[in-house]
Amino acid sequence: MTAPNERAAGAASGPGGSNAPGPVPLSTPADPPHRTDDDTAVRLPPELSDAARALFGDRLGLAAAYAQLLATEGVVRGLIGPREAPRIWDRHLLNCAAVAELIPSGASVTDVGSGAGLPGLVLAVARPDLSVTLVEPLARRTAFLSEAVTALGLEATVTVLRARAEDCVPGGPVADLLSPADIVTARAVAPLDRLAGWCLPLAVLGGRMLAMKGASAADEVAEHRDVIDRFGGGTPVVRWCGAELIEPPTTVVEIVRERDVVPARAGSSRKAARSGRRSGSDGGPGRGKTRRG
């Protein structure tokens, strides 16, 4: 995997700004974090303390530091809504940390559309054994992620990559910047059919896509099952994480990458998903092909 402090040489300009896509240099914030009107908003609620200790262990203090960053710089920069500050622990940190129970020890994780670092940065805080790459196309978000990684001392295990996930798939314009991962995560990024086209090609064969979803997870699985299959995914399984710790538990759609499917051209995931919904048995998404060993 490319080193965190490297810039991609000669890469095309990506969305969200004029800088070239690629690994983002890690840096500390130029100014002290802004403060919210009520700093008690980021304190761990007593009723959540047991769950937080179970999920973060001896890194609970690090999670608290990240909560403070989200409630201050995250709000100021528009990554977290002001009304979300009082709910950072239950709605964001614990909700994301619960996904760690599905990730094996020492796994590599790619977090697609990381935004403010949810769930990728939360997983890196909770699980120091993981190697995490945060993939995010917008410059202002990758700037926050870079600063947060440095502020939290996570430089050894976290890489920030400014790129669109669909450009990182094999054959894409920046595919060489990202190695296949054991686990690919996504939270509130896109419908399941589009996620399958973006995330499954980023996983190793036998690796898994973990898509955090809401109450409509089962409906999405039923609607998009054929598209998932055409992208090489196995039968989706809806799992509930942290069921004995948090309420409600985190809903995750787990999909194993069973086959190496190559889209007809890079960046065709959205068109492929639409094609999958319309087509019969005469073709897959973007008329993709399956590599045979």
Side-chain angles (χ1 to χ4, degrees), residues 112 165 169-170 180-186 192-210 224-236 253-261 263 269:
V112 168
V169 303
D182 301 315
I183 302 291
V184 181
T185 59
L192 201 54
D193 55 344
R194 287 164 58 188
L195 279 181
W198 297 340
C199 296
L200 285 174
L202 302 182
V204 298
L205 281 177
R208 289 173 292 149
M209 164 183 157
L210 302 178
H224 302 306
R225 180 64 188 91
D226 289 346
V227 176
I228 292 167
D229 178 72
R230 291 186 177 99
F231 278 117
T235 302
V253 177
E254 180 182 49
I255 304 171
V256 176
R257 188 187 184 207
E258 294 184 344
R259 292 172 290 111
D260 187 4
V261 173
S269 303

mmCIF file of all heavy atoms in Angstrom, residues 112 165 169-170 180-186 192-210 224-236 253-261 263 269:
data_model
loop_
_atom_site.group_PDB
_atom_site.id
_atom_site.type_symbol
_atom_site.label_atom_id
_atom_site.label_comp_id
_atom_site.label_asym_id
_atom_site.label_seq_id
_atom_site.Cartn_x
_atom_site.Cartn_y
_atom_site.Cartn_z
ATOM 1 N N VAL A 112 -14.989 3.196 2.266
ATOM 2 C CA VAL A 112 -15.392 3.941 1.071
ATOM 3 C C VAL A 112 -16.313 5.099 1.446
ATOM 4 O O VAL A 112 -17.271 4.917 2.199
ATOM 5 C CB VAL A 112 -16.092 2.992 0.073
ATOM 6 C CG1 VAL A 112 -16.778 3.779 -1.036
ATOM 7 C CG2 VAL A 112 -15.087 2.017 -0.515
ATOM 8 N N ALA A 165 -14.192 6.045 -5.104
ATOM 9 C CA ALA A 165 -14.074 4.587 -5.047
ATOM 10 C C ALA A 165 -14.146 3.971 -6.440
ATOM 11 O O ALA A 165 -13.397 3.037 -6.760
ATOM 12 C CB ALA A 165 -15.161 4.011 -4.152
ATOM 13 N N VAL A 169 -11.227 1.002 -8.718
ATOM 14 C CA VAL A 169 -11.459 -0.392 -9.092
ATOM 15 C C VAL A 169 -10.465 -0.781 -10.171
ATOM 16 O O VAL A 169 -9.909 0.074 -10.872
ATOM 17 C CB VAL A 169 -12.908 -0.606 -9.577
ATOM 18 C CG1 VAL A 169 -13.905 -0.184 -8.506
ATOM 19 C CG2 VAL A 169 -13.168 0.150 -10.880
ATOM 20 N N PRO A 170 -10.176 -2.084 -10.337
ATOM 21 C CA PRO A 170 -9.235 -2.507 -11.380
ATOM 22 C C PRO A 170 -9.606 -1.929 -12.742
ATOM 23 O O PRO A 170 -10.756 -1.980 -13.175
ATOM 24 C CB PRO A 170 -9.388 -4.035 -11.361
ATOM 25 C CG PRO A 170 -9.764 -4.353 -9.954
ATOM 26 C CD PRO A 170 -10.664 -3.223 -9.526
ATOM 27 N N PRO A 180 -6.052 -4.359 -2.853
ATOM 28 C CA PRO A 180 -7.279 -5.046 -2.429
ATOM 29 C C PRO A 180 -7.261 -5.291 -0.920
ATOM 30 O O PRO A 180 -6.224 -5.608 -0.340
ATOM 31 C CB PRO A 180 -7.229 -6.362 -3.206
ATOM 32 C CG PRO A 180 -6.379 -6.067 -4.404
ATOM 33 C CD PRO A 180 -5.350 -5.095 -3.917
ATOM 34 N N ALA A 181 -8.417 -5.124 -0.289
ATOM 35 C CA ALA A 181 -8.525 -5.224 1.171
ATOM 36 C C ALA A 181 -9.302 -6.467 1.581
ATOM 37 O O ALA A 181 -10.117 -6.994 0.823
ATOM 38 C CB ALA A 181 -9.211 -3.977 1.733
ATOM 39 N N ASP A 182 -9.055 -6.902 2.813
ATOM 40 C CA ASP A 182 -9.826 -8.018 3.357
ATOM 41 C C ASP A 182 -11.282 -7.622 3.586
ATOM 42 O O ASP A 182 -12.196 -8.429 3.388
ATOM 43 C CB ASP A 182 -9.219 -8.471 4.691
ATOM 44 C CG ASP A 182 -7.773 -8.911 4.557
ATOM 45 O OD1 ASP A 182 -7.474 -9.658 3.613
ATOM 46 O OD2 ASP A 182 -6.946 -8.490 5.393
ATOM 47 N N ILE A 183 -11.470 -6.363 4.019
ATOM 48 C CA ILE A 183 -12.804 -5.848 4.352
ATOM 49 C C ILE A 183 -12.977 -4.485 3.687
ATOM 50 O O ILE A 183 -12.081 -3.638 3.740
ATOM 51 C CB ILE A 183 -12.978 -5.686 5.880
ATOM 52 C CG1 ILE A 183 -12.770 -7.008 6.612
ATOM 53 C CG2 ILE A 183 -14.337 -5.075 6.198
ATOM 54 C CD1 ILE A 183 -13.846 -8.043 6.368
ATOM 55 N N VAL A 184 -14.131 -4.260 3.075
ATOM 56 C CA VAL A 184 -14.473 -2.938 2.525
ATOM 57 C C VAL A 184 -15.753 -2.478 3.212
ATOM 58 O O VAL A 184 -16.770 -3.178 3.173
ATOM 59 C CB VAL A 184 -14.666 -2.981 1.002
ATOM 60 C CG1 VAL A 184 -15.001 -1.582 0.475
ATOM 61 C CG2 VAL A 184 -13.414 -3.521 0.314
ATOM 62 N N THR A 185 -15.695 -1.324 3.857
ATOM 63 C CA THR A 185 -16.838 -0.810 4.612
ATOM 64 C C THR A 185 -17.433 0.421 3.936
ATOM 65 O O THR A 185 -16.755 1.132 3.186
ATOM 66 C CB THR A 185 -16.439 -0.432 6.051
ATOM 67 O OG1 THR A 185 -15.395 0.564 6.009
ATOM 68 C CG2 THR A 185 -15.936 -1.643 6.812
ATOM 69 N N ALA A 186 -18.701 0.677 4.211
ATOM 70 C CA ALA A 186 -19.374 1.881 3.719
ATOM 71 C C ALA A 186 -20.551 2.169 4.634
ATOM 72 O O ALA A 186 -21.243 1.249 5.083
ATOM 73 C CB ALA A 186 -19.846 1.702 2.283
ATOM 74 N N LEU A 192 -27.552 -0.169 -2.320
ATOM 75 C CA LEU A 192 -26.740 -1.380 -2.284
ATOM 76 C C LEU A 192 -26.236 -1.794 -3.665
ATOM 77 O O LEU A 192 -25.128 -2.339 -3.778
ATOM 78 C CB LEU A 192 -27.557 -2.515 -1.666
ATOM 79 C CG LEU A 192 -26.803 -3.708 -1.088
ATOM 80 C CD1 LEU A 192 -25.759 -3.263 -0.066
ATOM 81 C CD2 LEU A 192 -27.787 -4.680 -0.448
ATOM 82 N N ASP A 193 -26.999 -1.524 -4.721
ATOM 83 C CA ASP A 193 -26.533 -1.923 -6.052
ATOM 84 C C ASP A 193 -25.301 -1.126 -6.466
ATOM 85 O O ASP A 193 -24.333 -1.681 -6.988
ATOM 86 C CB ASP A 193 -27.654 -1.801 -7.089
ATOM 87 C CG ASP A 193 -28.283 -0.410 -7.140
ATOM 88 O OD1 ASP A 193 -28.088 0.380 -6.189
ATOM 89 O OD2 ASP A 193 -28.991 -0.121 -8.135
ATOM 90 N N ARG A 194 -25.306 0.180 -6.216
ATOM 91 C CA ARG A 194 -24.145 0.998 -6.549
ATOM 92 C C ARG A 194 -22.965 0.656 -5.644
ATOM 93 O O ARG A 194 -21.817 0.609 -6.087
ATOM 94 C CB ARG A 194 -24.505 2.479 -6.445
ATOM 95 C CG ARG A 194 -25.398 2.933 -7.600
ATOM 96 C CD ARG A 194 -26.075 4.255 -7.315
ATOM 97 N NE ARG A 194 -25.120 5.311 -7.051
ATOM 98 C CZ ARG A 194 -25.462 6.526 -6.617
ATOM 99 N NH1 ARG A 194 -26.744 6.792 -6.376
ATOM 100 N NH2 ARG A 194 -24.553 7.447 -6.412
ATOM 101 N N LEU A 195 -23.239 0.411 -4.365
ATOM 102 C CA LEU A 195 -22.164 0.036 -3.452
ATOM 103 C C LEU A 195 -21.466 -1.242 -3.900
ATOM 104 O O LEU A 195 -20.243 -1.359 -3.804
ATOM 105 C CB LEU A 195 -22.714 -0.159 -2.036
ATOM 106 C CG LEU A 195 -22.927 1.086 -1.184
ATOM 107 C CD1 LEU A 195 -23.443 0.685 0.188
ATOM 108 C CD2 LEU A 195 -21.631 1.885 -1.042
ATOM 109 N N ALA A 196 -22.244 -2.198 -4.386
ATOM 110 C CA ALA A 196 -21.647 -3.454 -4.832
ATOM 111 C C ALA A 196 -20.660 -3.216 -5.961
ATOM 112 O O ALA A 196 -19.576 -3.812 -5.992
ATOM 113 C CB ALA A 196 -22.746 -4.421 -5.277
ATOM 114 N N GLY A 197 -21.009 -2.322 -6.881
ATOM 115 C CA GLY A 197 -20.118 -2.022 -7.992
ATOM 116 C C GLY A 197 -18.861 -1.297 -7.567
ATOM 117 O O GLY A 197 -17.806 -1.446 -8.197
ATOM 118 N N TRP A 198 -18.950 -0.485 -6.520
ATOM 119 C CA TRP A 198 -17.785 0.246 -6.026
ATOM 120 C C TRP A 198 -16.931 -0.569 -5.072
ATOM 121 O O TRP A 198 -15.704 -0.505 -5.120
ATOM 122 C CB TRP A 198 -18.232 1.521 -5.312
ATOM 123 C CG TRP A 198 -18.949 2.511 -6.173
ATOM 124 C CD1 TRP A 198 -18.922 2.598 -7.542
ATOM 125 C CD2 TRP A 198 -19.807 3.561 -5.729
ATOM 126 N NE1 TRP A 198 -19.714 3.622 -7.974
ATOM 127 C CE2 TRP A 198 -20.271 4.242 -6.882
ATOM 128 C CE3 TRP A 198 -20.227 3.997 -4.482
ATOM 129 C CZ2 TRP A 198 -21.132 5.337 -6.810
ATOM 130 C CZ3 TRP A 198 -21.093 5.092 -4.407
ATOM 131 C CH2 TRP A 198 -21.533 5.749 -5.561
ATOM 132 N N CYS A 199 -17.585 -1.305 -4.180
ATOM 133 C CA CYS A 199 -16.869 -1.919 -3.056
ATOM 134 C C CYS A 199 -16.350 -3.322 -3.330
ATOM 135 O O CYS A 199 -15.231 -3.655 -2.936
ATOM 136 C CB CYS A 199 -17.773 -1.951 -1.821
ATOM 137 S SG CYS A 199 -18.234 -0.320 -1.197
ATOM 138 N N LEU A 200 -17.144 -4.158 -3.986
ATOM 139 C CA LEU A 200 -16.708 -5.534 -4.196
ATOM 140 C C LEU A 200 -15.395 -5.626 -4.981
ATOM 141 O O LEU A 200 -14.520 -6.424 -4.621
ATOM 142 C CB LEU A 200 -17.808 -6.343 -4.876
ATOM 143 C CG LEU A 200 -18.984 -6.728 -3.974
ATOM 144 C CD1 LEU A 200 -20.092 -7.396 -4.796
ATOM 145 C CD2 LEU A 200 -18.541 -7.644 -2.840
ATOM 146 N N PRO A 201 -15.175 -4.809 -6.031
ATOM 147 C CA PRO A 201 -13.899 -4.899 -6.742
ATOM 148 C C PRO A 201 -12.696 -4.457 -5.903
ATOM 149 O O PRO A 201 -11.556 -4.735 -6.283
ATOM 150 C CB PRO A 201 -14.096 -3.953 -7.937
ATOM 151 C CG PRO A 201 -15.568 -3.860 -8.111
ATOM 152 C CD PRO A 201 -16.129 -3.922 -6.723
ATOM 153 N N LEU A 202 -12.943 -3.767 -4.783
ATOM 154 C CA LEU A 202 -11.841 -3.311 -3.924
ATOM 155 C C LEU A 202 -11.439 -4.356 -2.891
ATOM 156 O O LEU A 202 -10.469 -4.162 -2.157
ATOM 157 C CB LEU A 202 -12.233 -2.015 -3.210
ATOM 158 C CG LEU A 202 -12.617 -0.831 -4.106
ATOM 159 C CD1 LEU A 202 -12.930 0.393 -3.251
ATOM 160 C CD2 LEU A 202 -11.507 -0.515 -5.102
ATOM 161 N N ALA A 203 -12.190 -5.455 -2.816
ATOM 162 C CA ALA A 203 -11.901 -6.512 -1.845
ATOM 163 C C ALA A 203 -11.121 -7.639 -2.510
ATOM 164 O O ALA A 203 -11.222 -7.869 -3.718
ATOM 165 C CB ALA A 203 -13.201 -7.069 -1.260
ATOM 166 N N VAL A 204 -10.329 -8.357 -1.724
ATOM 167 C CA VAL A 204 -9.669 -9.554 -2.220
ATOM 168 C C VAL A 204 -10.731 -10.623 -2.467
ATOM 169 O O VAL A 204 -11.838 -10.552 -1.916
ATOM 170 C CB VAL A 204 -8.625 -10.069 -1.208
ATOM 171 C CG1 VAL A 204 -7.524 -9.038 -0.975
ATOM 172 C CG2 VAL A 204 -9.292 -10.457 0.111
ATOM 173 N N LEU A 205 -10.407 -11.591 -3.300
ATOM 174 C CA LEU A 205 -11.314 -12.717 -3.458
ATOM 175 C C LEU A 205 -11.469 -13.417 -2.115
ATOM 176 O O LEU A 205 -10.482 -13.717 -1.441
ATOM 177 C CB LEU A 205 -10.771 -13.696 -4.507
ATOM 178 C CG LEU A 205 -10.987 -13.307 -5.971
ATOM 179 C CD1 LEU A 205 -10.343 -14.335 -6.887
ATOM 180 C CD2 LEU A 205 -12.464 -13.148 -6.286
ATOM 181 N N GLY A 206 -12.683 -13.644 -1.719
ATOM 182 C CA GLY A 206 -12.951 -14.190 -0.394
ATOM 183 C C GLY A 206 -13.090 -13.127 0.667
ATOM 184 O O GLY A 206 -13.482 -13.413 1.798
ATOM 185 N N GLY A 207 -12.762 -11.869 0.308
ATOM 186 C CA GLY A 207 -12.954 -10.749 1.231
ATOM 187 C C GLY A 207 -14.418 -10.359 1.297
ATOM 188 O O GLY A 207 -15.262 -10.905 0.572
ATOM 189 N N ARG A 208 -14.719 -9.378 2.151
ATOM 190 C CA ARG A 208 -16.121 -9.049 2.391
ATOM 191 C C ARG A 208 -16.385 -7.557 2.317
ATOM 192 O O ARG A 208 -15.559 -6.741 2.715
ATOM 193 C CB ARG A 208 -16.550 -9.564 3.771
ATOM 194 C CG ARG A 208 -16.657 -11.076 3.859
ATOM 195 C CD ARG A 208 -16.916 -11.513 5.279
ATOM 196 N NE ARG A 208 -15.775 -11.256 6.143
ATOM 197 C CZ ARG A 208 -15.850 -10.963 7.437
ATOM 198 N NH1 ARG A 208 -17.020 -10.840 8.025
ATOM 199 N NH2 ARG A 208 -14.759 -10.784 8.146
ATOM 200 N N MET A 209 -17.549 -7.238 1.836
ATOM 201 C CA MET A 209 -18.089 -5.886 1.879
ATOM 202 C C MET A 209 -19.059 -5.816 3.051
ATOM 203 O O MET A 209 -19.933 -6.671 3.204
ATOM 204 C CB MET A 209 -18.807 -5.588 0.556
ATOM 205 C CG MET A 209 -19.741 -4.402 0.575
ATOM 206 S SD MET A 209 -20.568 -4.242 -1.035
ATOM 207 C CE MET A 209 -22.030 -3.322 -0.560
ATOM 208 N N LEU A 210 -18.892 -4.806 3.895
ATOM 209 C CA LEU A 210 -19.781 -4.586 5.041
ATOM 210 C C LEU A 210 -20.451 -3.228 4.849
ATOM 211 O O LEU A 210 -19.815 -2.187 5.014
ATOM 212 C CB LEU A 210 -19.002 -4.619 6.353
ATOM 213 C CG LEU A 210 -18.214 -5.892 6.663
ATOM 214 C CD1 LEU A 210 -17.457 -5.741 7.989
ATOM 215 C CD2 LEU A 210 -19.138 -7.111 6.707
ATOM 216 N N HIS A 224 -31.858 -5.766 -4.936
ATOM 217 C CA HIS A 224 -30.605 -5.678 -5.685
ATOM 218 C C HIS A 224 -29.814 -6.981 -5.724
ATOM 219 O O HIS A 224 -28.643 -6.974 -6.105
ATOM 220 C CB HIS A 224 -29.729 -4.575 -5.094
ATOM 221 C CG HIS A 224 -30.374 -3.225 -5.083
ATOM 222 N ND1 HIS A 224 -30.899 -2.638 -6.216
ATOM 223 C CD2 HIS A 224 -30.593 -2.348 -4.067
ATOM 224 C CE1 HIS A 224 -31.410 -1.446 -5.895
ATOM 225 N NE2 HIS A 224 -31.238 -1.258 -4.607
ATOM 226 N N ARG A 225 -30.441 -8.079 -5.351
ATOM 227 C CA ARG A 225 -29.710 -9.346 -5.287
ATOM 228 C C ARG A 225 -29.087 -9.724 -6.624
ATOM 229 O O ARG A 225 -27.945 -10.187 -6.676
ATOM 230 C CB ARG A 225 -30.659 -10.471 -4.803
ATOM 231 C CG ARG A 225 -29.993 -11.835 -4.710
ATOM 232 C CD ARG A 225 -28.896 -11.823 -3.650
ATOM 233 N NE ARG A 225 -28.115 -13.050 -3.670
ATOM 234 C CZ ARG A 225 -27.004 -13.221 -4.388
ATOM 235 N NH1 ARG A 225 -26.570 -12.249 -5.156
ATOM 236 N NH2 ARG A 225 -26.345 -14.346 -4.322
ATOM 237 N N ASP A 226 -29.800 -9.528 -7.727
ATOM 238 C CA ASP A 226 -29.266 -9.909 -9.032
ATOM 239 C C ASP A 226 -28.041 -9.067 -9.404
ATOM 240 O O ASP A 226 -27.076 -9.579 -9.979
ATOM 241 C CB ASP A 226 -30.342 -9.758 -10.116
ATOM 242 C CG ASP A 226 -31.428 -10.816 -10.006
ATOM 243 O OD1 ASP A 226 -31.209 -11.803 -9.279
ATOM 244 O OD2 ASP A 226 -32.492 -10.645 -10.630
ATOM 245 N N VAL A 227 -28.081 -7.772 -9.092
ATOM 246 C CA VAL A 227 -26.957 -6.902 -9.406
ATOM 247 C C VAL A 227 -25.732 -7.314 -8.589
ATOM 248 O O VAL A 227 -24.614 -7.362 -9.106
ATOM 249 C CB VAL A 227 -27.323 -5.429 -9.131
ATOM 250 C CG1 VAL A 227 -26.111 -4.527 -9.360
ATOM 251 C CG2 VAL A 227 -28.474 -5.001 -10.035
ATOM 252 N N ILE A 228 -25.940 -7.625 -7.323
ATOM 253 C CA ILE A 228 -24.836 -8.062 -6.468
ATOM 254 C C ILE A 228 -24.183 -9.316 -7.039
ATOM 255 O O ILE A 228 -22.953 -9.435 -7.088
ATOM 256 C CB ILE A 228 -25.351 -8.305 -5.036
ATOM 257 C CG1 ILE A 228 -25.769 -6.987 -4.390
ATOM 258 C CG2 ILE A 228 -24.278 -9.000 -4.182
ATOM 259 C CD1 ILE A 228 -26.565 -7.156 -3.111
ATOM 260 N N ASP A 229 -25.009 -10.244 -7.496
ATOM 261 C CA ASP A 229 -24.485 -11.474 -8.091
ATOM 262 C C ASP A 229 -23.657 -11.173 -9.327
ATOM 263 O O ASP A 229 -22.596 -11.760 -9.540
ATOM 264 C CB ASP A 229 -25.645 -12.406 -8.440
ATOM 265 C CG ASP A 229 -25.168 -13.684 -9.110
ATOM 266 O OD1 ASP A 229 -24.578 -14.530 -8.408
ATOM 267 O OD2 ASP A 229 -25.360 -13.822 -10.334
ATOM 268 N N ARG A 230 -24.126 -10.234 -10.149
ATOM 269 C CA ARG A 230 -23.397 -9.912 -11.383
ATOM 270 C C ARG A 230 -22.074 -9.215 -11.112
ATOM 271 O O ARG A 230 -21.208 -9.178 -11.977
ATOM 272 C CB ARG A 230 -24.287 -9.060 -12.300
ATOM 273 C CG ARG A 230 -25.462 -9.833 -12.879
ATOM 274 C CD ARG A 230 -26.223 -8.992 -13.888
ATOM 275 N NE ARG A 230 -27.302 -9.773 -14.490
ATOM 276 C CZ ARG A 230 -28.570 -9.722 -14.121
ATOM 277 N NH1 ARG A 230 -28.925 -8.925 -13.143
ATOM 278 N NH2 ARG A 230 -29.475 -10.473 -14.717
ATOM 279 N N PHE A 231 -21.915 -8.630 -9.938
ATOM 280 C CA PHE A 231 -20.635 -8.036 -9.561
ATOM 281 C C PHE A 231 -19.744 -9.012 -8.804
ATOM 282 O O PHE A 231 -18.714 -8.630 -8.259
ATOM 283 C CB PHE A 231 -20.848 -6.770 -8.724
ATOM 284 C CG PHE A 231 -21.138 -5.543 -9.541
ATOM 285 C CD1 PHE A 231 -22.348 -4.891 -9.420
ATOM 286 C CD2 PHE A 231 -20.206 -5.039 -10.434
ATOM 287 C CE1 PHE A 231 -22.627 -3.756 -10.172
ATOM 288 C CE2 PHE A 231 -20.466 -3.921 -11.193
ATOM 289 C CZ PHE A 231 -21.682 -3.271 -11.068
ATOM 290 N N GLY A 232 -20.140 -10.283 -8.767
ATOM 291 C CA GLY A 232 -19.299 -11.300 -8.146
ATOM 292 C C GLY A 232 -19.558 -11.529 -6.685
ATOM 293 O O GLY A 232 -18.793 -12.243 -6.019
ATOM 294 N N GLY A 233 -20.618 -10.947 -6.152
ATOM 295 C CA GLY A 233 -20.921 -11.095 -4.736
ATOM 296 C C GLY A 233 -21.726 -12.345 -4.439
ATOM 297 O O GLY A 233 -22.535 -12.793 -5.257
ATOM 298 N N GLY A 234 -21.497 -12.921 -3.268
ATOM 299 C CA GLY A 234 -22.275 -14.061 -2.819
ATOM 300 C C GLY A 234 -23.615 -13.620 -2.256
ATOM 301 O O GLY A 234 -24.010 -12.452 -2.365
ATOM 302 N N THR A 235 -24.306 -14.532 -1.637
ATOM 303 C CA THR A 235 -25.613 -14.232 -1.062
ATOM 304 C C THR A 235 -25.477 -13.226 0.080
ATOM 305 O O THR A 235 -24.753 -13.484 1.043
ATOM 306 C CB THR A 235 -26.272 -15.510 -0.529
ATOM 307 O OG1 THR A 235 -26.403 -16.447 -1.588
ATOM 308 C CG2 THR A 235 -27.638 -15.207 0.074
ATOM 309 N N PRO A 236 -26.125 -12.054 0.001
ATOM 310 C CA PRO A 236 -26.022 -11.062 1.084
ATOM 311 C C PRO A 236 -26.650 -11.588 2.370
ATOM 312 O O PRO A 236 -27.673 -12.272 2.348
ATOM 313 C CB PRO A 236 -26.813 -9.859 0.550
ATOM 314 C CG PRO A 236 -26.953 -10.101 -0.927
ATOM 315 C CD PRO A 236 -26.963 -11.579 -1.107
ATOM 316 N N VAL A 253 -25.145 -5.167 6.080
ATOM 317 C CA VAL A 253 -25.288 -6.150 5.007
ATOM 318 C C VAL A 253 -23.892 -6.654 4.661
ATOM 319 O O VAL A 253 -23.028 -5.881 4.252
ATOM 320 C CB VAL A 253 -25.961 -5.544 3.766
ATOM 321 C CG1 VAL A 253 -26.030 -6.589 2.640
ATOM 322 C CG2 VAL A 253 -27.359 -5.043 4.103
ATOM 323 N N GLU A 254 -23.687 -7.944 4.846
ATOM 324 C CA GLU A 254 -22.387 -8.570 4.595
ATOM 325 C C GLU A 254 -22.433 -9.348 3.287
ATOM 326 O O GLU A 254 -23.325 -10.167 3.079
ATOM 327 C CB GLU A 254 -22.036 -9.501 5.753
ATOM 328 C CG GLU A 254 -20.697 -10.209 5.584
ATOM 329 C CD GLU A 254 -20.419 -11.149 6.742
ATOM 330 O OE1 GLU A 254 -21.325 -11.954 7.078
ATOM 331 O OE2 GLU A 254 -19.319 -11.093 7.296
ATOM 332 N N ILE A 255 -21.468 -9.063 2.399
ATOM 333 C CA ILE A 255 -21.404 -9.732 1.103
ATOM 334 C C ILE A 255 -19.979 -10.205 0.859
ATOM 335 O O ILE A 255 -19.031 -9.407 0.914
ATOM 336 C CB ILE A 255 -21.837 -8.800 -0.042
ATOM 337 C CG1 ILE A 255 -23.242 -8.235 0.211
ATOM 338 C CG2 ILE A 255 -21.794 -9.527 -1.379
ATOM 339 C CD1 ILE A 255 -23.647 -7.144 -0.773
ATOM 340 N N VAL A 256 -19.808 -11.476 0.593
ATOM 341 C CA VAL A 256 -18.500 -12.031 0.271
ATOM 342 C C VAL A 256 -18.231 -11.867 -1.218
ATOM 343 O O VAL A 256 -19.120 -12.098 -2.057
ATOM 344 C CB VAL A 256 -18.424 -13.522 0.656
ATOM 345 C CG1 VAL A 256 -17.085 -14.127 0.239
ATOM 346 C CG2 VAL A 256 -18.643 -13.698 2.149
ATOM 347 N N ARG A 257 -17.013 -11.445 -1.548
ATOM 348 C CA ARG A 257 -16.631 -11.377 -2.962
ATOM 349 C C ARG A 257 -16.197 -12.773 -3.408
ATOM 350 O O ARG A 257 -15.093 -13.230 -3.118
ATOM 351 C CB ARG A 257 -15.489 -10.380 -3.179
ATOM 352 C CG ARG A 257 -15.208 -10.161 -4.660
ATOM 353 C CD ARG A 257 -13.981 -9.327 -4.897
ATOM 354 N NE ARG A 257 -13.829 -9.065 -6.326
ATOM 355 C CZ ARG A 257 -12.670 -8.830 -6.930
ATOM 356 N NH1 ARG A 257 -11.553 -8.825 -6.230
ATOM 357 N NH2 ARG A 257 -12.620 -8.619 -8.230
ATOM 358 N N GLU A 258 -17.073 -13.455 -4.119
ATOM 359 C CA GLU A 258 -16.836 -14.843 -4.489
ATOM 360 C C GLU A 258 -16.165 -15.006 -5.844
ATOM 361 O O GLU A 258 -15.468 -15.986 -6.086
ATOM 362 C CB GLU A 258 -18.157 -15.617 -4.495
ATOM 363 C CG GLU A 258 -18.792 -15.744 -3.118
ATOM 364 C CD GLU A 258 -20.045 -16.584 -3.134
ATOM 365 O OE1 GLU A 258 -20.596 -16.821 -4.241
ATOM 366 O OE2 GLU A 258 -20.480 -17.011 -2.040
ATOM 367 N N ARG A 259 -16.408 -14.038 -6.753
ATOM 368 C CA ARG A 259 -15.866 -14.140 -8.101
ATOM 369 C C ARG A 259 -15.220 -12.828 -8.505
ATOM 370 O O ARG A 259 -15.646 -11.761 -8.088
ATOM 371 C CB ARG A 259 -16.976 -14.505 -9.100
ATOM 372 C CG ARG A 259 -17.525 -15.904 -8.929
ATOM 373 C CD ARG A 259 -18.748 -16.161 -9.793
ATOM 374 N NE ARG A 259 -19.918 -15.411 -9.313
ATOM 375 C CZ ARG A 259 -20.474 -14.403 -9.941
ATOM 376 N NH1 ARG A 259 -19.964 -13.978 -11.085
ATOM 377 N NH2 ARG A 259 -21.524 -13.792 -9.445
ATOM 378 N N ASP A 260 -14.186 -12.922 -9.341
ATOM 379 C CA ASP A 260 -13.456 -11.748 -9.799
ATOM 380 C C ASP A 260 -14.108 -11.233 -11.069
ATOM 381 O O ASP A 260 -13.810 -11.690 -12.166
ATOM 382 C CB ASP A 260 -11.995 -12.129 -10.049
ATOM 383 C CG ASP A 260 -11.136 -10.910 -10.357
ATOM 384 O OD1 ASP A 260 -11.667 -9.783 -10.306
ATOM 385 O OD2 ASP A 260 -9.942 -11.085 -10.652
ATOM 386 N N VAL A 261 -15.040 -10.307 -10.924
ATOM 387 C CA VAL A 261 -15.763 -9.752 -12.067
ATOM 388 C C VAL A 261 -15.112 -8.450 -12.489
ATOM 389 O O VAL A 261 -14.873 -7.561 -11.668
ATOM 390 C CB VAL A 261 -17.248 -9.514 -11.719
ATOM 391 C CG1 VAL A 261 -17.956 -8.790 -12.853
ATOM 392 C CG2 VAL A 261 -17.925 -10.848 -11.427
ATOM 393 N N PRO A 263 -15.597 -5.127 -14.697
ATOM 394 C CA PRO A 263 -16.542 -4.330 -15.486
ATOM 395 C C PRO A 263 -15.980 -4.040 -16.874
ATOM 396 O O PRO A 263 -14.771 -4.034 -17.090
ATOM 397 C CB PRO A 263 -16.688 -3.037 -14.666
ATOM 398 C CG PRO A 263 -16.239 -3.408 -13.289
ATOM 399 C CD PRO A 263 -15.191 -4.456 -13.463
ATOM 400 N N SER A 269 -20.065 1.532 -12.736
ATOM 401 C CA SER A 269 -20.884 0.859 -11.730
ATOM 402 C C SER A 269 -22.326 1.322 -11.742
ATOM 403 O O SER A 269 -23.252 0.522 -11.636
ATOM 404 C CB SER A 269 -20.290 1.101 -10.339
ATOM 405 O OG SER A 269 -18.963 0.670 -10.303
#
